[in-house]
Amino acid sequence: MSATFIDTPLGKFRVQFTALGLARLQFPKAKAEPITGSIEPPKNWLRQTTAALKTILVGKAPTILPPLDLSTGTTFQQQTWRALLRIPAGRTCGYGELARTVRRPKAARAIGGACGANPIPVIIPCHRIIGASGSLTGFSGGMHWKVKLLEIERVKLPLH
């Protein structure tokens, strides 16, 4: 099990890579969740991940992302995670709206499940997904992280 830590002003994030790219990002103080096949990352992947994470944590959009290994997800989850990457910083999107984006208009609950299974939160911005009424809903990193990330992106809270 090979894990690396990225030190940020908000704490040390744990990252793991496979031969395909960044496969897991965990919040500071989260219980370690090892992955199979983790490797010591190439220096350029670690640099890209560090730069992307630190850029996001100051409220900006990164210009380059490291290669992402989304292979742990189902086809639907991977499709959802790729759609999340297209939501601009500072914007939010409802579960139903994202379901329509991935051409599964009745799959709002499944979108929620895919967000909860996101192995690379922050970089794949599931924190930008909100309830239909504009309410903040669950977040795998905890609601305090969701609120913090939205505040960093200057999203006006409360949304409802």
Side-chain angles (χ1 to χ4, degrees):
M1 169 183 73
S2 181
T4 304
F5 290 87
I6 297 175
D7 199 12
T8 75
L10 298 179
K12 289 184 181 194
F13 286 78
R14 185 174 191 265
V15 293
Q16 290 177 284
F17 296 81
T18 66
L20 298 175
L22 176 62
R24 167 123 344 129
L25 183 147
Q26 291 184 271
F27 289 95
K29 300 180 184 173
K31 181 182 175 207
E33 294 180 28
I35 60 170
T36 304
S38 62
I39 64 166
E40 195 66 35
K43 287 184 181 9
N44 63 323
W45 287 5
L46 185 56
R47 267 194 310 273
Q48 291 168 342
T49 303
T50 301
L53 181 60
K54 288 183 175 184
T55 298
I56 292 165
L57 293 178
V58 296
K60 297 180 180 172
T63 55
I64 296 174
L65 292 179
L68 303 176
D69 177 359
L70 305 180
S71 65
T72 59
T74 65
T75 300
F76 177 77
Q77 288 172 329
Q78 291 178 37
Q79 184 180 22
T80 300
W81 299 336
R82 285 187 190 95
L84 288 167
L85 287 166
R86 293 190 297 270
I87 302 170
R91 299 268 173 89
T92 58
C93 179
Y95 292 97
E97 183 181 351
L98 191 58
R100 288 186 295 279
T101 298
V102 298
R103 298 180 182 184
R104 299 276 302 272
K106 295 182 180 181
R109 281 186 192 265
I111 293 289
C115 288
N118 177 4
I120 312 172
V122 183
I123 290 177
I124 297 177
C126 53
H127 61 276
R128 296 179 186 149
I129 304 303
I130 59 172
S133 66
S135 60
L136 295 181
T137 54
F139 184 62
S140 63
M143 193 57 70
H144 64 286
W145 273 108
K146 184 169 191 155
V147 169
K148 181 74 170 164
L149 292 167
L150 290 172
E151 286 174 342
I152 287 169
E153 294 182 5
R154 295 173 187 82
V155 172
K156 301 289 186 219
L157 300 174
L159 296 171
H160 52 53

